[in-house]
Amino acid sequence: MTIKSARKDTGRRSVKPDFTRRTQRSPQPGARQRGIYTTRLGQIRDVLNEVLKWKHPADAVLSAWFRANKSLGGRDRNEVAEAVFDVLRHLRRYRQYAESGTGPALERLAILGLASVVGKDTIAGQLSEEEKSWLLRMDTIDPASLAPEIRGSLPDWLYEHMSQLDEFESLIAALNTKAPLDLRVNPFKVDRDTVLAQLQDTPVAEFDPQPTPYSPWGIRLNGKPAISRWALFENGSLEVQDEGSQLLALLVGPKRSDMVIDFCAGAGGKTLLLGALMRSAGRLYAFDVSAARLAKAKPRIARSGLSNVTPIAIANENDTRVKRLAGKADKVLVDAPCTGVGTLRRNPDLKWRQSPASVQELTELQARILNSAARCVAPGGRLVYSTCSVLPQENEQQVDAFLAAHPEFTLLNAQEVLGDRCPDLGMTTPYLRLRPDVHGTDGFFAAVLERSK
């Protein structure tokens, strides 16, 4: 695998699932008389039937299905999406449950997913007597009686890796919950207190917007309102970004006069924050192998008000445009392509779409990208390596191997780099390690490496 074929959401493809031939319309009056949740179960079953083929990411399948079912309202869409993602989070356990009963197992998966969203009592009237009896039996099963890999709904290979981590059971449990929605203010345009005050006077107040505990720019919502048409979003004052990702900017610590490279920029979320901290001064290059992802970043850059960002699509980690910057960058951020298992709260299908083979390919790619990015760092400059993974082979082991091959770099203490800006993170190693069960963020890793002068 080359850098050109890999990305953070490993396994995604440009081809989208086609639902145009099998479209589930909003229930007509006759269907409503039979019960809205009978129709809802059919909708969830249709989506799951496509998702569980593992040909496309779950969010891409849902997006295609919503486009084919434009008559559905917001509540309909929310219930379908939440039920599908619940099944993906608990798929191994649910599949064991679904082995009992009669009829298609897919139907029972849909029942379990919908029951988790609206409650089993709500859908009981839409089920057959046999289905109701089966659902009640499943409700009496104590998850503690199941094997831990089934209880945590992980494939064997991933459970083997995670079980080597500290307090792994609480980590697995946290990764199987729904994530809140983290927003980030644009410090080039507005401060967080001003935005929080504005949100209190809008319908968003029902989602209890609160400042994030670690990032000085973050706002956390309890729920997922549609924000794409908010004035604050449209004018570039707000972006969606997990708090853990926001902290990367503090580790990079860009100055207004710096040359900075975001080596795997993607759609530009981290780039925008780096540019804002530079007050739209200096030079900020956004590299990515996907011109399509960079194209998505361009309207965000325009909204942000930044003029110091230069997006550059590169062919691979050894592109000539990378080599031209050898030894010139003050700060380089490598948010590397990874398994994404730290984001399972948001992307639960990743644990079923990854494999030991893909982990091996990704770790080889990460090493190549890190080596290439390191060449861009000027003497005395800083290289920040990060992933949204909790697996040591993508994190600490990568850094150890890099340092062994590059004695000109030194590992800095991430907590000391952050200083008093994040005093309560509780890091016990030089690395930044974030976990949903401890910090309320996605699973995240970062290391700060400094090149000798």
Side-chain angles (χ1 to χ4, degrees):
M1 182 186 290
T2 68
I3 186 174
K4 190 172 184 177
S5 63
R7 50 190 298 183
K8 296 287 283 187
D9 47 357
T10 303
R12 294 179 185 269
R13 304 180 184 183
S14 59
V15 178
K16 302 300 183 185
D18 182 9
F19 285 97
T20 57
R21 295 183 180 179
R22 177 166 48 85
T23 300
Q24 185 74 45
R25 299 290 184 188
S26 281
Q28 300 302 309
R32 288 188 181 278
Q33 291 173 4
R34 294 193 301 273
I36 183 64
Y37 288 116
T38 299
T39 301
R40 186 75 73 244
L41 285 170
Q43 294 166 339
I44 296 166
R45 188 175 61 243
D46 282 352
V47 178
L48 283 173
N49 185 60
E50 185 69 26
V51 170
L52 296 179
K53 294 175 183 177
W54 308 125
K55 293 181 179 179
H56 310 282
D59 57 356
V61 174
L62 277 163
S63 294
W65 190 83
F66 290 148
R67 287 194 298 272
N69 292 267
K70 294 179 180 178
S71 60
L72 292 180
R75 176 180 175 182
D76 303 323
R77 293 167 178 251
N78 181 70
E79 288 180 352
V80 171
E82 290 296 333
V84 167
F85 274 76
D86 179 79
V87 172
L88 293 174
R89 287 188 186 97
H90 307 289
L91 182 59
R92 191 168 184 181
R93 176 162 61 91
Y94 282 5
R95 275 182 164 162
Q96 178 154 314
Y97 291 172
E99 290 175 359
S100 60
T102 59
L106 192 63
E107 179 74 20
R108 290 190 290 283
L109 291 179
I111 290 172
L112 290 168
L114 185 56
S116 75
V117 175
V118 301
K120 64 180 184 299
D121 293 338
T122 302
I123 67 170
Q126 318 299 314
L127 304 179
S128 68
E129 290 301 320
E130 185 176 37
E131 288 171 335
K132 282 192 288 187
S133 177
W134 170 81
L135 185 58
L136 288 173
R137 289 200 311 274
M138 297 306 100
D139 199 42
T140 64
I141 297 175
D142 180 5
S145 66
L146 304 173
E149 63 273 20
I150 295 174
R151 182 171 64 249
S153 278
L154 293 177
D156 287 341
W157 71 268
L158 185 53
Y159 178 79
E160 181 180 350
H161 286 306
M162 285 201 174
S163 63
Q164 304 301 312
L165 303 176
D166 294 338
E167 299 180 0
F168 67 92
E169 290 182 339
S170 66
L171 173 61
I172 293 172
L175 288 171
N176 282 332
T177 62
K178 292 193 299 182
L181 178 63
D182 283 359
L183 307 177
R184 175 186 55 75
V185 302
N186 176 358
F188 187 55
K189 284 193 167 187
V190 68
D191 64 85
R192 180 169 65 179
D193 289 344
T194 298
V195 172
L196 283 169
Q198 292 180 15
L199 294 180
Q200 294 303 325
D201 296 325
T202 71
V204 183
E206 68 177 280
F207 296 97
D208 190 28
Q210 296 291 330
T212 50
Y214 307 114
S215 167
W217 313 290
I219 296 174
R220 181 160 295 158
L221 302 183
N222 184 21
K224 296 184 178 179
I227 72 164
S228 60
R229 296 183 179 178
W230 289 6
L232 288 168
F233 184 81
E234 291 178 334
N235 68 21
S237 295
L238 274 180
E239 291 283 346
V240 176
Q241 188 176 16
D242 182 73
E243 182 182 22
S245 180
Q246 296 177 35
L247 296 184
L248 283 182
L250 289 176
L251 290 179
V252 176
K255 299 177 181 178
R256 299 180 66 166
S257 59
D258 281 347
M259 175 192 287
V260 179
I261 300 174
D262 187 352
F263 207 86
C264 305
K270 290 171 290 295
T271 307
L272 294 178
L273 182 52
L274 292 172
L277 295 183
M278 296 168 73
R279 308 305 297 173
S280 198
R283 286 177 290 172
L284 175 54
Y285 295 100
F287 287 168
D288 202 88
V289 294
S290 171
R293 286 199 294 274
L294 287 177
K296 292 180 180 179
K298 288 182 179 179
R300 301 173 71 188
I301 295 170
R303 289 197 304 266
S304 72
L306 299 176
S307 59
N308 65 335
V309 181
T310 304
I312 299 177
I314 58 176
N316 53 54
E317 68 273 12
N318 291 313
D319 191 289
T320 56
R321 284 163 290 191
V322 176
K323 294 179 179 179
R324 288 173 190 158
L325 294 176
K328 295 181 179 179
D330 300 287
K331 310 286 170 56
V332 177
L333 170 61
V334 176
D335 188 22
C338 68
T339 59
V341 295
T343 70
L344 291 182
R345 298 184 303 170
R346 307 175 195 278
N347 307 294
D349 56 319
L350 281 177
K351 58 185 172 183
W352 311 113
R353 295 168 58 77
Q354 297 288 10
S355 68
S358 65
V359 174
Q360 179 65 30
E361 291 177 348
L362 283 165
T363 53
E364 292 173 359
L365 174 61
Q366 289 159 3
R368 293 199 303 271
I369 293 174
L370 191 54
N371 287 329
S372 181
R375 294 199 295 264
C376 297
V377 181
R382 183 179 296 177
L383 172 64
V384 176
Y385 172 78
S386 71
T387 73
C388 51
S389 175
V390 295
L391 302 182
Q393 57 265 53
E394 298 188 87
N395 297 337
E396 295 89 348
Q397 292 175 21
Q398 284 285 16
V399 175
D400 288 345
F402 174 82
L403 290 173
H406 296 83
E408 71 274 22
F409 281 88
T410 302
L411 177 66
L412 303 183
N413 187 295
Q415 184 71 73
E416 293 177 1
V417 172
L418 292 171
D420 58 3
R421 291 168 292 187
C422 300
D424 302 321
L425 282 172
M427 298 294 105
T428 58
T429 73
Y431 303 110
L432 178 71
R433 292 193 187 112
L434 302 176
R435 297 169 39 139
D437 55 328
V438 177
H439 304 99
T441 68
D442 287 344
F444 224 90
F445 171 88
V448 185
L449 307 164
E450 188 173 79
R451 186 169 191 168
S452 61
K453 296 181 179 180

